Every structure is written in C-alpha cells, then in structure tokens.
Amino acid sequence: QVADARRAESPSWIADKKNSYGMRLASIAAQRPVADLVKDAVTQELAARGVRVGDSPTTVVVDVTRL
C-alpha cells in the first residue's frame, strides 16, 4: 500500500525546474502517478530478494513524503 503524502500539484508531479533566481520555469512530471511508480519499485525489490509478493498476510505500507 503506497500513499502519496506530498503537497504536490498533481499525483505525477516530481519537481520544478528553477532558474538561478529561484523562479519556477517548468514542472517536471512522471508519465504515471508517483505512488504507482513507488509501489512497482518496492514490489520489484522485494521480489528480487526472494519475498513472495501478493500471497502473504503481511502488509507493507509506504508513505511518500518527499521526492
């Protein structure tokens, strides 16, 4: 379970590109929501370490607070 706890403009927002004065020039966004990307990454890493994903009563909870 992944929750996006960031104060983001949209679920796919990653960061803002800024100039040397700190003024925002453009938003940088992923093609998919950040929570989905993090969930897939955690699932892949657990599976790579031999953890059976999906058939266990154990739940992994991830809160994305900063990216």
Side-chain angles (χ1 to χ4, degrees), residues 9-66:
E9 297 175 5
S10 75
S12 60
W13 180 84
I14 294 177
D16 288 327
K17 179 179 174 99
K18 296 182 180 182
N19 66 13
S20 59
Y21 297 106
M23 295 172 48
R24 181 177 157 191
L25 297 176
S27 289
I28 301 169
Q31 293 180 351
R32 297 175 35 211
V34 170
D36 292 348
L37 296 172
V38 171
K39 180 179 180 181
D40 290 348
V42 170
T43 300
Q44 288 176 1
E45 289 300 321
L46 289 173
R49 286 161 175 72
V51 177
R52 291 182 303 189
V53 178
D55 59 350
S56 173
T58 304
T59 301
V60 176
V61 178
V62 178
D63 290 328
V64 179
T65 57
R66 186 173 179 189

